[in-house]
Amino acid sequence: QGAPTPAPRELPLPQETTPAPAYVVPNQQKAKEIAETVYNTWRLAMMRADEQAWAGCTSAARQNKIRNMVVSERKQFPKDFFSKQPQPPQLEHFSYVGSIAGSGNRSMACTFVGKLQLGEKGQLAENAMVVELIFEGGKWKLDQTRFFNLSQLPDVKKRLHARDLSVLQEQDGFHPYD
């Protein structure tokens, strides 16, 4: 017979040491101007299939992800990328809510609300559009856009229409990159 098996003991879990990211509320008029300029420049580049203009206003990380995705699908970049994209929505159909910047002011999430039909058979619905920007190479560049259907979120929708910036800090979908 061997030695008795020791009773299992619980190991303490490591304490969370990463502090919550700090967000900054930037000058809202300036943030709106930046978001509109960058988004509209990107939108035109996409619609015109202008690779050079697209690269000039799109973050390097996003460019790499898109190129890798297209190539991994055994397609040609940029031809197949630009030919398969739906037309990006116009900002004229949206109202600016506000922006939150990352603690280092190197990222910014700019939120707009408006009606949008997502997908070919989708219903026209109230959506929040978040434009994620990165400060890179001395200028702001678009990294990605996200959409949230607000049909099932009446409280959030009401607060966004009231331009309540605290909702942008409370809901992680509206946060900028750390």
Side-chain angles (χ1 to χ4, degrees), residues 92-114:
E92 290 79 21
H93 298 290
F94 290 83
S95 298
Y96 178 72
V97 174
S99 297
I100 301 293
S103 61
N105 287 323
R106 308 221 27 103
S107 63
M108 189 163 47
C110 307
T111 303
F112 298 81
V113 291

Side-chain angles (χ1 to χ4, degrees), residues 47-119:
M47 291 170 46
R48 294 176 179 161
D50 184 337
E51 181 187 8
Q52 186 174 4
W54 174 81
C57 62
T58 303
S59 72
R62 183 63 48 190
Q63 290 179 54
N64 287 332
K65 286 178 187 177
I66 290 171
R67 276 191 194 96
N68 289 342
M69 178 187 66
V70 171
V71 171
S72 73
E73 294 173 353
R74 300 190 189 286
K75 296 181 180 170
Q76 297 292 313
F77 183 86
K79 183 183 93 175
D80 290 322
F81 169 65
F82 287 111
S83 69
K84 304 292 183 202
Q85 297 299 314
Q87 184 171 324
Q90 297 177 18
L91 279 183
E92 290 79 21
H93 298 290
F94 290 83
S95 298
Y96 178 72
V97 174
S99 297
I100 301 293
S103 61
N105 287 323
R106 308 221 27 103
S107 63
M108 189 163 47
C110 307
T111 303
F112 298 81
V113 291
K115 292 199 175 189
L116 178 67
Q117 177 182 334
L118 294 175

